[in-house]
Amino acid sequence: MRVLFWFCEKFAWTPTLKTLENAPDAAPDARTRAVVAFIHIEPGDVEAGSSAETKLVKNAKWVARKWEVQEIILHSFTHLGEAKADPEQAKALMDRAAERLATAGYRAVQTPYGYFNDLSIEAPGHPLARIFREF
């Protein structure tokens, strides 16, 4: 798994191109003061015994604590590597991570899965505003 975390003063998305036939209809949305995780899930991340999901959750919580925010946005971003997990398995992993974050008291939001989205990002120029992790 590869994840690029951004702290954003504002992060907005508009679904523009459906890439998965069974993706549900989706609407635009915008959030303020949030950690956004651009997540690339690889085949090994969805195999039994993988710790990628736990590491994703722990790292997202760490970044959110650093910025003192409760909102964490999970964004599927299959552009950080070549090997990609099965879309259904990747979505299930993201759903589980969102549930775990919610259980820990965070507002976990996912951008529309199975879409290319127009994105609007407002992020400060700070060293902790962009953090890359590879698990």
Side-chain angles (χ1 to χ4, degrees), residues 44-125:
D45 301 330
V46 296
E47 293 177 1
S50 171
S51 63
E53 177 186 324
T54 295
K55 290 178 181 179
L56 169 61
V57 170
K58 286 184 177 184
N59 278 266
K61 290 167 38 178
W62 180 84
V63 176
R65 283 192 305 272
K66 291 293 180 187
W67 286 99
E68 299 178 348
V69 299
Q70 293 300 306
E71 187 117 51
I72 299 173
I73 302 168
L74 304 178
H75 176 67
S76 176
F77 191 73
T78 60
H79 307 286
L80 296 175
E82 292 185 27
K84 298 171 178 69
D86 171 78
E88 289 180 14
Q89 291 178 316
K91 175 65 168 123
L93 187 152
M94 289 183 60
D95 289 345
R96 290 190 307 272
E99 287 177 30
R100 291 174 66 178
L101 289 165
T103 299
Y106 293 90
R107 290 184 305 277
V109 177
Q110 293 185 59
T111 59
Y113 191 86
Y115 284 86
F116 278 113
N117 298 285
D118 285 342
L119 302 177
S120 176
I121 300 171
E122 291 179 22

Side-chain angles (χ1 to χ4, degrees), residues 13-19 26 112 115-119:
W13 60 90
T14 302
T16 56
L17 177 64
K18 187 184 262 192
T19 59
Y115 284 86
F116 278 113
N117 298 285
D118 285 342
L119 302 177

